[in-house]
Amino acid sequence: MLKRALLCTALLATAGMAFAADQKAEDAAGVWETASGGYVELYEDGDHWKGKIVGSKDGQARYDKKNPDESKRDRRLLGVTVLDGLSYAGDGKFEGGTIYDPNNGKTYKAKASQSDPDTLDVRGYIGISLIGKSQTWKRVDKNAEHVHQDLLE
């Protein structure tokens, strides 16, 4: 039983390394569910990658109540760009961008890495990457309920 568990662990690790080695930036394109249930579409825009809110798991409307710009506090979050300026660094890694957190109205430096086809680890941080917070996002079918098709790139 222990030998089987070790073999399975080794196979999974090898598969993950093979995925990262063969990855292209386009593999991350699509709709992702955030930890709070928001749907963010990651897409290429020129030389950079962006992510905008295209829906939510529960379909409820959310507003940008914590935005530091008071004139934007009544706007709906649907269609708002929350990831911006990411550059593909190879091996499933994106760097050099920013991420907006509508839960507190702050913008942080950002990076992301795709560990497998359906998992994206996103990190927002201040200054250096050690001072920050990470979330694991899961891929969602772009035709899933509550994904606003009119917002997709």
Side-chain angles (χ1 to χ4, degrees):
M1 183 76 148
L2 180 60
K3 285 182 183 181
R4 261 191 199 159
L6 290 172
L7 178 61
C8 286
T9 302
L11 288 173
L12 286 173
T14 303
M17 286 186 287
F19 174 77
D22 293 338
Q23 243 180 317
K24 300 177 285 306
E26 302 82 42
D27 294 337
V31 179
W32 299 87
E33 182 180 343
T34 69
S36 61
Y39 291 161
V40 174
E41 180 192 20
L42 190 63
Y43 61 97
E44 191 171 14
D45 183 25
D47 293 338
H48 293 97
W49 286 79
K50 292 184 174 187
K52 70 178 169 186
I53 298 174
V54 294
S56 64
K57 187 175 185 175
D58 62 12
Q60 297 294 312
R62 289 186 55 211
Y63 294 86
D64 203 2
K65 295 178 183 177
K66 302 284 184 163
N67 195 301
D69 180 345
E70 287 185 32
S71 69
K72 294 181 179 177
R73 291 184 183 163
D74 289 331
R75 76 174 173 174
R76 195 161 171 202
L77 285 169
L78 197 61
V80 170
T81 297
V82 291
L83 269 174
D84 199 8
L86 287 171
S87 296
Y88 188 63
D91 293 331
K93 294 179 174 62
F94 295 83
E95 299 172 344
T98 59
I99 187 166
Y100 173 67
D101 183 353
N103 294 315
N104 64 17
K106 295 183 181 178
T107 300
Y108 303 94
K109 291 182 179 181
K111 66 181 188 173
S113 61
Q114 192 176 7
S115 54
D116 66 55
D118 297 323
T119 305
L120 185 70
D121 296 309
V122 180
R123 184 159 183 83
Y125 59 96
I126 300 170
I128 60 171
S129 179
L130 292 173
I131 304 170
K133 184 176 178 181
S134 294
Q135 280 190 1
T136 298
W137 295 3
K138 294 294 182 182
R139 188 180 296 277
V140 175
D141 186 294
K142 69 178 185 175
N143 296 312
E145 185 177 17
H146 305 301
V147 172
H148 290 259
Q149 300 298 311
D150 58 319
L151 294 174
L152 297 177
E153 293 296 318

